[in-house]
Amino acid sequence: MTEKEFIQAVKNKLNYIQGMFEVKNDQYSTDKDPLANFTTGARLMYGDNGFSVQYEALKSYAAKHVAHVYNNRLTGAKVQESIDDIICYFVIASVLADQELKERV
């Protein structure tokens, strides 16, 4: 694979992740809370739903996918799906971090 092909492949993957995020966000958000699953998960696991505990809930959700990747080969069943989910979770984590930093100011 050439550098140009590699860059295009990464761009294609990021476009795919964006579309996947939109589908999953429709499944896991509500009209009033775009982070509903993280909000509820944080409240259930930690008794609070601030950004820092939503981040903890997110890491718990992502851990299942990380474990699956560690326990299987790159071409193993649903490994690619787990990798894509990990990417999606950590993009959300980055947005949570941005939001928490804004609120501190």
Side-chain angles (χ1 to χ4, degrees):
M1 177 182 298
T2 67
E3 182 178 6
K4 187 175 180 176
E5 291 168 335
F6 176 73
I7 290 169
Q8 188 58 53
V10 169
K11 287 180 178 181
N12 292 344
K13 178 57 77 170
L14 292 171
N15 286 332
Y16 170 79
I17 296 295
Q18 180 179 354
M20 184 187 83
F21 166 76
E22 290 172 0
V23 169
K24 287 186 178 263
N25 189 60
D26 283 344
Q27 294 171 351
Y28 301 126
S29 67
T30 65
D31 290 337
K32 295 180 182 180
D33 185 1
L35 295 167
N37 270 19
F38 299 108
T39 303
T40 302
R43 197 176 321 107
L44 289 168
M45 288 188 276
Y46 304 105
D48 187 13
N49 63 356
F51 287 115
S52 61
V53 287
Q54 285 183 30
Y55 175 63
E56 295 303 318
L58 179 146
K59 290 189 297 183
S60 294
Y61 298 165
K64 173 187 83 130
H65 296 290
V66 171
H68 181 69
V69 169
Y70 269 88
N71 289 331
N72 292 279
R73 295 178 33 195
L74 184 59
T75 57
K78 298 203 176 213
V79 168
Q80 186 64 45
E81 183 178 327
S82 284
I83 292 169
D84 292 345
D85 284 342
I86 292 164
I87 294 165
C88 201
Y89 279 129
F90 283 98
V91 170
I92 294 168
S94 182
V95 171
L96 288 173
D98 290 345
Q99 190 62 36
E100 186 170 348
L101 289 171
K102 283 181 189 176
E103 288 190 4
R104 287 184 183 180
V105 176

